[in-house]
Amino acid sequence: MSEVNKILKIVLACIMAFVAGDSVSLADRPLYYHASLTAQASSKSLAPYMLGSWNEGRYVEGSGIWQEAGIVTPLDMSKRLSWSAGFGYLAGAGSKTEYDRWNDESESWSKHGVRRSGFRLTQLFGELKYRSVFFTVGMKNSKSLIVDGSLSSGDFTRSNNASPIPGVAIGFLDFEDIPFTKGWLQINGEIMYGKFTDSGFKKKEFNYFAGVEGQNLWYNYKRCYFRTNPDKNFHVTLGMQASGVFAGVSYFYREGKLEWIKDRGFKLEDFFQMLFPREGGEDYYTGNHVGSWDLKAVYRFRDNSRLNFYFEWPWEDGSGIGKQNGWDGLWGIQYNFPKDGIVSKVVFEYLDFTNQAGPMHYNPEEKPDSPLIGVAQGADNYYNNDYYGAFANYGMSIGTPFLVSPIYNRNGALNYLHTRARGFHFAIEGSLIPRLNYRLKVGHEKAGGYGMFPVFKRTSSTSGMIEAKYRPTLKIPGLEVGLKMAFDKGALRGDNFGAQVQLTYSGVFNLKKSTR
């Protein structure tokens, strides 16, 4: 840890030195800012699925009031060498949620109230650009290159659902031409290492009866995409995303007893093993790996409308990478109309995660004295891992929120209770009248537990959300009033209704002095 802290301090010092010595002062840079006031109320202590999702973990509480503000100075893309920085916060108070907790001394269950912090950073980062390569330090929001973040159910590997994880990242700012292909083939990639800061939250939510509690965990993200020439009417993006959780300490509980502790510590060699995973040790491969094979095909019509077809095939081991999990994945189609109108975009997605193998897992090579010679590849469990816990940050899914995030488990379980699920997601957006935009989402899901613990009867849930945003006057172009209403109906998520009102003001502030 001390070595990593020293490296981060050196990196931050280099960025600050460059900013201080930049030939263009801060007074010559635009500052994009926003400030908002948000009030929310729900019939339960946690927000409905489509009200609490896709906002970087901001408004998952059922009821509350928050004030948010942020400021960003962007990269100067006209320069070979440039820098960027951003800061944002959320302050307020939200409803308390009660979780079940086991008391080993009294051998009894009780309710334990959890309230999220009243002040949270939403972004804090510094970024350098040299030519087409970026280097970022801090916590910064990201977006998917496959799905539409405002309409989709969410990217499977890294979506806009959970708060960003602080760390360091390097990659291409955009797709870059591959030499000798004359622009017909481009590449985009990113490598990121981060540190989870949600250990305290897990201690508050966990029931301490059964499961694994992962503490001081680290995070890794990798992406490599190839894209054909986007200037053509038809182009394709294809590649893979891979995420991983590693290092840290895991506490294993069974029937209210701490069975054992796995302290993996933190080693610099872990960085290389997460970049190039190799088999070995009782963890099989270092870290918990989750990712997806991704494809997006875009066709542009003569009227400039666009039809997008895309899929994300999830994997967590070799069988998933080899596409042995049937039709599992996110399958979507999106149509963008040539201009804004009553309907501007339409999205329909089918999601299926029911072809995971399990619950048996057996390999005769691991048991040389066994008379059994067959191989049973099983125990698949998207987003869950026996050694590291759930693929989540502060209880919110890092990937798609279509699978119910652990924060919604009122029994205090830290894992995903229903990863065997299928359903659909529909979204539409447009503008009813000038300065009044709307967005509508509807989804249905049926789930049946997970590999090791299937349920006897699958449960379902239907969710919906409608949002309207209105700019009341042209005299103050940055002023906007928003209203959201959402519901859940069904046994899977429970019946819930919520509404949110938000007042936002945004703009650009430039300190550049007059040249008169």
Side-chain angles (χ1 to χ4, degrees):
M1 282 294 295
S2 60
E3 294 181 11
V4 175
N5 288 334
K6 290 179 181 178
I7 294 173
L8 290 177
K9 288 179 180 179
I10 293 173
V11 170
L12 284 171
C14 292
I15 291 178
M16 295 305 296
F18 172 75
V19 171
D22 191 1
S23 59
V24 179
S25 68
L26 186 61
D28 296 309
R29 300 179 64 89
L31 303 176
Y32 292 84
Y33 63 89
H34 75 275
S36 65
L37 183 64
T38 304
Q40 184 166 294
S42 304
S43 57
K44 290 190 174 182
S45 60
L46 290 170
Y49 156 44
M50 292 191 171
L51 194 62
S53 303
W54 309 300
N55 53 51
E56 286 86 22
R58 286 173 172 83
Y59 311 116
V60 69
E61 296 100 321
S63 303
I65 184 168
W66 302 274
Q67 190 274 317
E68 182 180 359
I71 189 167
V72 174
T73 178
L75 294 169
D76 187 342
M77 302 305 293
S78 65
K79 292 188 173 184
R80 177 177 297 183
L81 184 64
S82 180
W83 64 274
S84 171
F87 167 77
Y89 72 87
L90 181 74
S95 53
K96 180 185 293 185
T97 303
E98 290 189 338
Y99 294 95
D100 294 338
R101 171 160 289 184
W102 173 259
N103 188 314
D104 190 43
E105 294 182 359
S106 61
E107 296 186 344
S108 62
W109 288 93
S110 63
K111 296 292 185 181
H112 176 68
V114 177
R115 191 189 303 276
R116 300 217 301 173
S117 172
F119 180 86
R120 302 192 294 273
L121 290 176
T122 55
Q123 281 198 127
L124 178 61
F125 69 89
E127 190 169 60
L128 291 178
K129 176 191 83 77
Y130 180 71
R131 292 184 180 269
S132 60
V133 177
F134 74 86
F135 179 74
T136 305
V137 176
M139 52 187 296
K140 182 183 179 183
N141 295 331
S142 60
K143 66 177 183 178
S144 172
L145 299 181
I146 301 297
V147 304
D148 188 324
S150 65
L151 295 177
S152 171
S153 61
D155 190 289
F156 183 85
T157 306
R158 187 173 69 171
S159 73
N160 55 354
N161 187 58
S163 57
I165 299 170
V168 296
I170 187 170
F172 292 115
L173 286 166
D174 200 353
F175 283 87
E176 296 298 320
D177 291 343
I178 295 178
F180 310 112
T181 65
K182 297 182 179 181
W184 281 93
L185 189 61
Q186 301 176 328
I187 188 171
N188 176 278
E190 179 184 342
I191 299 174
M192 185 263 187
Y193 288 92
K195 177 71 164 58
F196 286 94
T197 59
D198 62 347
S199 294
F201 178 83
K202 290 179 181 177
K203 291 180 179 179
K204 294 178 181 179
E205 184 185 349
F206 190 35
N207 58 32
Y208 288 97
F209 183 79
V212 56
E213 178 192 8
Q215 294 287 324
N216 300 316
L217 300 176
W218 286 73
Y219 172 77
N220 170 245
Y221 173 81
K222 304 175 287 291
R223 177 183 72 235
C224 183
Y225 285 148
F226 296 95
R227 185 177 71 178
T228 60
N229 190 342
D231 295 330
K232 302 300 179 180
N233 289 336
F234 178 75
H235 65 271
V236 176
T237 301
L238 174 66
M240 175 188 278
Q241 295 182 88
S243 287
V245 180
F246 66 104
V249 184
S250 295
Y251 301 85
F252 300 86
Y253 287 83
R254 184 175 181 179
E255 296 183 354
K257 303 292 185 181
L258 177 61
E259 281 199 323
W260 57 292
I261 300 173
K262 175 68 174 180
D263 187 352
R264 291 173 290 268
F266 176 83
K267 304 176 293 296
L268 287 178
E269 66 180 279
D270 293 338
F271 278 84
F272 300 101
Q273 291 187 359
M274 292 302 295
L275 190 60
F276 303 104
R278 69 173 186 266
E279 191 172 0
E282 58 184 301
D283 289 351
Y284 300 102
Y285 284 82
T286 298
N288 168 31
H289 298 269
V290 176
S292 57
W293 285 106
D294 303 336
L295 178 142
K296 180 172 72 172
V298 180
Y299 184 80
R300 183 173 63 249
F301 295 91
R302 291 182 178 180
D303 62 357
N304 209 35
S305 61
R306 292 173 181 262
L307 181 65
N308 301 348
F309 167 77
Y310 53 90
F311 64 69
E312 293 191 337
W313 293 341
W315 56 265
E316 65 165 10
D317 56 20
S319 62
I321 293 177
K323 200 62 184 77
Q324 298 179 25
N325 290 352
W327 289 93
D328 275 8
L330 161 68
W331 304 80
I333 187 169
Q334 175 173 339
Y335 182 73
N336 295 357
F337 287 79
K339 59 182 180 179
D340 293 341
I342 295 178
V343 179
S344 300
K345 296 180 182 179
V346 178
V347 168
F348 180 82
E349 296 176 344
Y350 171 72
L351 301 100
D352 196 341
F353 307 114
T354 61
N355 295 289
Q356 303 172 63
M360 295 181 63
H361 182 84
Y362 177 80
N363 189 339
E365 294 181 358
E366 299 172 2
K367 301 180 182 295
D369 298 330
S370 173
L372 300 177
I373 59 175
V375 176
Q377 292 184 337
D380 287 343
N381 195 357
Y382 300 142
Y383 290 172
N384 285 327
N385 185 270
D386 292 339
Y387 290 93
Y388 296 89
F391 187 63
N393 189 28
Y394 287 95
M396 297 291 284
S397 172
I398 298 173
T400 175
F402 179 82
L403 300 177
V404 183
S405 295
I407 197 171
Y408 284 92
N409 299 337
R410 301 295 296 277
N411 63 357
L414 293 180
N415 61 319
Y416 291 78
L417 300 181
H418 295 278
T419 62
R420 290 184 179 274
R422 68 157 59 107
F424 71 86
H425 174 91
F426 172 78
I428 185 173
E429 73 175 21
S431 179
L432 297 176
I433 60 175
R435 304 198 303 276
L436 177 61
N437 300 325
Y438 76 92
R439 182 170 52 156
L440 173 69
K441 294 183 179 182
V442 178
H444 178 77
E445 177 181 359
K446 183 174 288 187
Y450 59 95
M452 293 297 182
F453 293 95
V455 298
F456 292 104
K457 183 179 180 180
R458 290 190 297 174
T459 57
S460 63
S461 178
T462 300
S463 301
M465 184 272 289
I466 185 168
E467 175 186 25
K469 289 186 176 181
Y470 181 60
R471 300 185 301 278
T473 175
L474 293 176
K475 294 181 179 180
I476 311 177
L479 182 63
E480 187 175 74
V481 180
L483 171 64
K484 287 183 183 180
M485 293 185 293
F487 74 91
D488 294 325
K489 182 68 175 178
L492 178 62
R493 296 181 183 271
D495 296 344
N496 195 3
F497 176 81
Q500 179 190 97
V501 178
Q502 186 174 71
L503 181 65
T504 304
Y505 184 76
S506 60
V508 183
F509 189 59
N510 201 321
L511 294 174
K512 188 172 183 179
K513 298 178 181 179
S514 174
T515 58
R516 290 186 302 170

